[in-house]
PDB file of all heavy atoms in Angstrom:
ATOM      1  N   ARG R 135     -27.407  -4.102 -16.732  1.00  0.00           N
ATOM      2  CA  ARG R 135     -27.900  -5.482 -16.667  1.00  0.00           C
ATOM      3  C   ARG R 135     -27.956  -6.056 -18.082  1.00  0.00           C
ATOM      4  O   ARG R 135     -28.789  -5.622 -18.880  1.00  0.00           O
ATOM      5  CB  ARG R 135     -29.304  -5.536 -16.067  1.00  0.00           C
ATOM      6  CG  ARG R 135     -29.400  -5.322 -14.568  1.00  0.00           C
ATOM      7  CD  ARG R 135     -30.837  -5.541 -14.147  1.00  0.00           C
ATOM      8  NE  ARG R 135     -31.093  -5.286 -12.756  1.00  0.00           N
ATOM      9  CZ  ARG R 135     -31.063  -6.204 -11.794  1.00  0.00           C
ATOM     10  NH1 ARG R 135     -30.753  -7.455 -12.113  1.00  0.00           N
ATOM     11  NH2 ARG R 135     -31.329  -5.904 -10.554  1.00  0.00           N
ATOM     12  N   PRO R 136     -27.107  -7.016 -18.423  1.00  0.00           N
ATOM     13  CA  PRO R 136     -27.216  -7.633 -19.749  1.00  0.00           C
ATOM     14  C   PRO R 136     -28.552  -8.363 -19.878  1.00  0.00           C
ATOM     15  O   PRO R 136     -29.044  -8.948 -18.907  1.00  0.00           O
ATOM     16  CB  PRO R 136     -26.049  -8.629 -19.781  1.00  0.00           C
ATOM     17  CG  PRO R 136     -25.127  -8.194 -18.689  1.00  0.00           C
ATOM     18  CD  PRO R 136     -25.985  -7.558 -17.650  1.00  0.00           C
ATOM     19  N   PRO R 137     -29.171  -8.336 -21.045  1.00  0.00           N
ATOM     20  CA  PRO R 137     -30.428  -9.078 -21.232  1.00  0.00           C
ATOM     21  C   PRO R 137     -30.205 -10.576 -21.022  1.00  0.00           C
ATOM     22  O   PRO R 137     -29.129 -11.108 -21.289  1.00  0.00           O
ATOM     23  CB  PRO R 137     -30.795  -8.777 -22.694  1.00  0.00           C
ATOM     24  CG  PRO R 137     -30.034  -7.557 -23.049  1.00  0.00           C
ATOM     25  CD  PRO R 137     -28.784  -7.586 -22.247  1.00  0.00           C
ATOM     26  N   ILE R 138     -31.231 -11.252 -20.538  1.00  0.00           N
ATOM     27  CA  ILE R 138     -31.157 -12.704 -20.340  1.00  0.00           C
ATOM     28  C   ILE R 138     -31.251 -13.365 -21.701  1.00  0.00           C
ATOM     29  O   ILE R 138     -32.229 -13.180 -22.429  1.00  0.00           O
ATOM     30  CB  ILE R 138     -32.294 -13.173 -19.411  1.00  0.00           C
ATOM     31  CG1 ILE R 138     -32.137 -12.534 -18.028  1.00  0.00           C
ATOM     32  CG2 ILE R 138     -32.302 -14.700 -19.292  1.00  0.00           C
ATOM     33  CD1 ILE R 138     -33.310 -12.756 -17.110  1.00  0.00           C
ATOM     34  N   SER R 139     -30.234 -14.146 -22.046  1.00  0.00           N
ATOM     35  CA  SER R 139     -30.175 -14.705 -23.397  1.00  0.00           C
ATOM     36  C   SER R 139     -29.899 -16.201 -23.431  1.00  0.00           C
ATOM     37  O   SER R 139     -29.977 -16.813 -24.493  1.00  0.00           O
ATOM     38  CB  SER R 139     -29.094 -13.982 -24.215  1.00  0.00           C
ATOM     39  OG  SER R 139     -27.835 -14.094 -23.574  1.00  0.00           O
ATOM     40  N   GLU R 140     -29.565 -16.799 -22.295  1.00  0.00           N
ATOM     41  CA  GLU R 140     -29.239 -18.219 -22.251  1.00  0.00           C
ATOM     42  C   GLU R 140     -30.143 -18.929 -21.252  1.00  0.00           C
ATOM     43  O   GLU R 140     -30.550 -18.345 -20.251  1.00  0.00           O
ATOM     44  CB  GLU R 140     -27.776 -18.425 -21.838  1.00  0.00           C
ATOM     45  CG  GLU R 140     -26.767 -17.837 -22.816  1.00  0.00           C
ATOM     46  CD  GLU R 140     -25.346 -18.060 -22.334  1.00  0.00           C
ATOM     47  OE1 GLU R 140     -25.178 -18.618 -21.228  1.00  0.00           O
ATOM     48  OE2 GLU R 140     -24.411 -17.670 -23.063  1.00  0.00           O
ATOM     49  N   SER R 141     -30.428 -20.196 -21.548  1.00  0.00           N
ATOM     50  CA  SER R 141     -31.241 -20.986 -20.632  1.00  0.00           C
ATOM     51  C   SER R 141     -30.359 -21.579 -19.535  1.00  0.00           C
ATOM     52  O   SER R 141     -29.170 -21.795 -19.725  1.00  0.00           O
ATOM     53  CB  SER R 141     -31.965 -22.106 -21.379  1.00  0.00           C
ATOM     54  OG  SER R 141     -31.038 -22.930 -22.047  1.00  0.00           O
ATOM     55  N   MET R 142     -30.969 -21.820 -18.380  1.00  0.00           N
ATOM     56  CA  MET R 142     -30.279 -22.426 -17.241  1.00  0.00           C
ATOM     57  C   MET R 142     -30.892 -23.798 -16.972  1.00  0.00           C
ATOM     58  O   MET R 142     -32.079 -23.895 -16.653  1.00  0.00           O
ATOM     59  CB  MET R 142     -30.414 -21.535 -16.000  1.00  0.00           C
ATOM     60  CG  MET R 142     -29.975 -22.195 -14.694  1.00  0.00           C
ATOM     61  SD  MET R 142     -28.204 -22.514 -14.611  1.00  0.00           S
ATOM     62  CE  MET R 142     -27.604 -20.848 -14.322  1.00  0.00           C
ATOM     63  N   GLU R 143     -30.106 -24.833 -17.140  1.00  0.00           N
ATOM     64  CA  GLU R 143     -30.602 -26.186 -16.889  1.00  0.00           C
ATOM     65  C   GLU R 143     -30.782 -26.398 -15.391  1.00  0.00           C
ATOM     66  O   GLU R 143     -29.864 -26.171 -14.605  1.00  0.00           O
ATOM     67  CB  GLU R 143     -29.620 -27.214 -17.447  1.00  0.00           C
ATOM     68  CG  GLU R 143     -30.054 -28.654 -17.232  1.00  0.00           C
ATOM     69  CD  GLU R 143     -29.069 -29.646 -17.838  1.00  0.00           C
ATOM     70  OE1 GLU R 143     -28.547 -29.355 -18.946  1.00  0.00           O
ATOM     71  OE2 GLU R 143     -28.812 -30.682 -17.215  1.00  0.00           O
ATOM     72  N   VAL R 144     -31.990 -26.840 -14.989  1.00  0.00           N
ATOM     73  CA  VAL R 144     -32.249 -27.107 -13.576  1.00  0.00           C
ATOM     74  C   VAL R 144     -32.466 -28.590 -13.297  1.00  0.00           C
ATOM     75  O   VAL R 144     -32.600 -28.994 -12.141  1.00  0.00           O
ATOM     76  CB  VAL R 144     -33.457 -26.289 -13.057  1.00  0.00           C
ATOM     77  CG1 VAL R 144     -33.199 -24.805 -13.185  1.00  0.00           C
ATOM     78  CG2 VAL R 144     -34.736 -26.671 -13.776  1.00  0.00           C
ATOM     79  N   GLY R 145     -32.515 -29.416 -14.345  1.00  0.00           N
ATOM     80  CA  GLY R 145     -32.616 -30.857 -14.154  1.00  0.00           C
ATOM     81  C   GLY R 145     -33.991 -31.371 -13.798  1.00  0.00           C
ATOM     82  O   GLY R 145     -34.144 -32.536 -13.447  1.00  0.00           O
ATOM     83  N   VAL R 146     -35.003 -30.498 -13.882  1.00  0.00           N
ATOM     84  CA  VAL R 146     -36.391 -30.909 -13.653  1.00  0.00           C
ATOM     85  C   VAL R 146     -37.096 -30.826 -15.001  1.00  0.00           C
ATOM     86  O   VAL R 146     -37.212 -29.743 -15.577  1.00  0.00           O
ATOM     87  CB  VAL R 146     -37.083 -30.014 -12.603  1.00  0.00           C
ATOM     88  CG1 VAL R 146     -38.527 -30.450 -12.397  1.00  0.00           C
ATOM     89  CG2 VAL R 146     -36.321 -30.047 -11.284  1.00  0.00           C
ATOM     90  N   ARG R 147     -37.560 -31.958 -15.517  1.00  0.00           N
ATOM     91  CA  ARG R 147     -38.058 -32.045 -16.893  1.00  0.00           C
ATOM     92  C   ARG R 147     -39.187 -31.068 -17.170  1.00  0.00           C
ATOM     93  O   ARG R 147     -39.206 -30.384 -18.200  1.00  0.00           O
ATOM     94  CB  ARG R 147     -38.511 -33.474 -17.171  1.00  0.00           C
ATOM     95  CG  ARG R 147     -38.992 -33.728 -18.597  1.00  0.00           C
ATOM     96  CD  ARG R 147     -39.139 -35.216 -18.840  1.00  0.00           C
ATOM     97  NE  ARG R 147     -39.885 -35.847 -17.749  1.00  0.00           N
ATOM     98  CZ  ARG R 147     -39.665 -37.100 -17.318  1.00  0.00           C
ATOM     99  NH1 ARG R 147     -38.728 -37.829 -17.874  1.00  0.00           N
ATOM    100  NH2 ARG R 147     -40.373 -37.597 -16.325  1.00  0.00           N
ATOM    101  N   LEU R 148     -40.139 -30.980 -16.251  1.00  0.00           N
ATOM    102  CA  LEU R 148     -41.278 -30.096 -16.444  1.00  0.00           C
ATOM    103  C   LEU R 148     -40.830 -28.644 -16.611  1.00  0.00           C
ATOM    104  O   LEU R 148     -41.342 -27.915 -17.475  1.00  0.00           O
ATOM    105  CB  LEU R 148     -42.223 -30.247 -15.251  1.00  0.00           C
ATOM    106  CG  LEU R 148     -43.500 -29.411 -15.197  1.00  0.00           C
ATOM    107  CD1 LEU R 148     -44.564 -30.159 -14.393  1.00  0.00           C
ATOM    108  CD2 LEU R 148     -43.263 -28.061 -14.564  1.00  0.00           C
ATOM    109  N   ILE R 149     -39.871 -28.216 -15.786  1.00  0.00           N
ATOM    110  CA  ILE R 149     -39.399 -26.831 -15.836  1.00  0.00           C
ATOM    111  C   ILE R 149     -38.544 -26.592 -17.073  1.00  0.00           C
ATOM    112  O   ILE R 149     -38.757 -25.626 -17.816  1.00  0.00           O
ATOM    113  CB  ILE R 149     -38.627 -26.478 -14.551  1.00  0.00           C
ATOM    114  CG1 ILE R 149     -39.558 -26.550 -13.338  1.00  0.00           C
ATOM    115  CG2 ILE R 149     -38.000 -25.092 -14.662  1.00  0.00           C
ATOM    116  CD1 ILE R 149     -38.854 -26.339 -12.004  1.00  0.00           C
ATOM    117  N   ASP R 150     -37.578 -27.466 -17.320  1.00  0.00           N
ATOM    118  CA  ASP R 150     -36.702 -27.286 -18.482  1.00  0.00           C
ATOM    119  C   ASP R 150     -37.477 -27.319 -19.792  1.00  0.00           C
ATOM    120  O   ASP R 150     -37.144 -26.602 -20.746  1.00  0.00           O
ATOM    121  CB  ASP R 150     -35.626 -28.373 -18.492  1.00  0.00           C
ATOM    122  CG  ASP R 150     -34.515 -28.114 -17.488  1.00  0.00           C
ATOM    123  OD1 ASP R 150     -34.351 -26.945 -17.084  1.00  0.00           O
ATOM    124  OD2 ASP R 150     -33.826 -29.069 -17.106  1.00  0.00           O
ATOM    125  N   GLY R 151     -38.524 -28.137 -19.859  1.00  0.00           N
ATOM    126  CA  GLY R 151     -39.269 -28.265 -21.101  1.00  0.00           C
ATOM    127  C   GLY R 151     -40.352 -27.225 -21.287  1.00  0.00           C
ATOM    128  O   GLY R 151     -40.438 -26.577 -22.335  1.00  0.00           O
ATOM    129  N   LEU R 152     -41.180 -27.016 -20.261  1.00  0.00           N
ATOM    130  CA  LEU R 152     -42.372 -26.178 -20.418  1.00  0.00           C
ATOM    131  C   LEU R 152     -42.233 -24.789 -19.815  1.00  0.00           C
ATOM    132  O   LEU R 152     -42.992 -23.879 -20.173  1.00  0.00           O
ATOM    133  CB  LEU R 152     -43.576 -26.886 -19.769  1.00  0.00           C
ATOM    134  CG  LEU R 152     -43.965 -28.231 -20.389  1.00  0.00           C
ATOM    135  CD1 LEU R 152     -45.028 -28.908 -19.533  1.00  0.00           C
ATOM    136  CD2 LEU R 152     -44.458 -28.050 -21.806  1.00  0.00           C
ATOM    137  N   LEU R 153     -41.306 -24.606 -18.886  1.00  0.00           N
ATOM    138  CA  LEU R 153     -41.166 -23.319 -18.193  1.00  0.00           C
ATOM    139  C   LEU R 153     -39.683 -22.974 -18.101  1.00  0.00           C
ATOM    140  O   LEU R 153     -39.165 -22.687 -17.025  1.00  0.00           O
ATOM    141  CB  LEU R 153     -41.793 -23.399 -16.797  1.00  0.00           C
ATOM    142  CG  LEU R 153     -43.283 -23.746 -16.739  1.00  0.00           C
ATOM    143  CD1 LEU R 153     -43.673 -24.207 -15.339  1.00  0.00           C
ATOM    144  CD2 LEU R 153     -44.132 -22.562 -17.161  1.00  0.00           C
ATOM    145  N   THR R 154     -38.998 -22.992 -19.225  1.00  0.00           N
ATOM    146  CA  THR R 154     -37.539 -22.868 -19.247  1.00  0.00           C
ATOM    147  C   THR R 154     -37.068 -21.620 -18.509  1.00  0.00           C
ATOM    148  O   THR R 154     -37.592 -20.518 -18.697  1.00  0.00           O
ATOM    149  CB  THR R 154     -37.031 -22.828 -20.695  1.00  0.00           C
ATOM    150  OG1 THR R 154     -37.597 -23.935 -21.417  1.00  0.00           O
ATOM    151  CG2 THR R 154     -35.526 -22.937 -20.735  1.00  0.00           C
ATOM    152  N   VAL R 155     -36.053 -21.826 -17.662  1.00  0.00           N
ATOM    153  CA  VAL R 155     -35.494 -20.747 -16.840  1.00  0.00           C
ATOM    154  C   VAL R 155     -34.288 -20.155 -17.543  1.00  0.00           C
ATOM    155  O   VAL R 155     -33.454 -20.878 -18.101  1.00  0.00           O
ATOM    156  CB  VAL R 155     -35.091 -21.296 -15.457  1.00  0.00           C
ATOM    157  CG1 VAL R 155     -34.405 -20.219 -14.618  1.00  0.00           C
ATOM    158  CG2 VAL R 155     -36.308 -21.846 -14.727  1.00  0.00           C
ATOM    159  N   GLY R 156     -34.171 -18.829 -17.528  1.00  0.00           N
ATOM    160  CA  GLY R 156     -33.015 -18.144 -18.110  1.00  0.00           C
ATOM    161  C   GLY R 156     -31.937 -17.892 -17.070  1.00  0.00           C
ATOM    162  O   GLY R 156     -32.232 -17.756 -15.875  1.00  0.00           O
TER     163      GLY R 156
END
Side-chain angles (χ1 to χ4, degrees):
R135 286 185 184 267
I138 297 171
S139 58
E140 297 179 357
S141 57
M142 168 68 75
E143 180 178 321
V144 299
V146 179
R147 183 168 48 213
L148 179 152
I149 296 175
D150 283 339
L152 298 172
L153 301 163
T154 309
V155 176

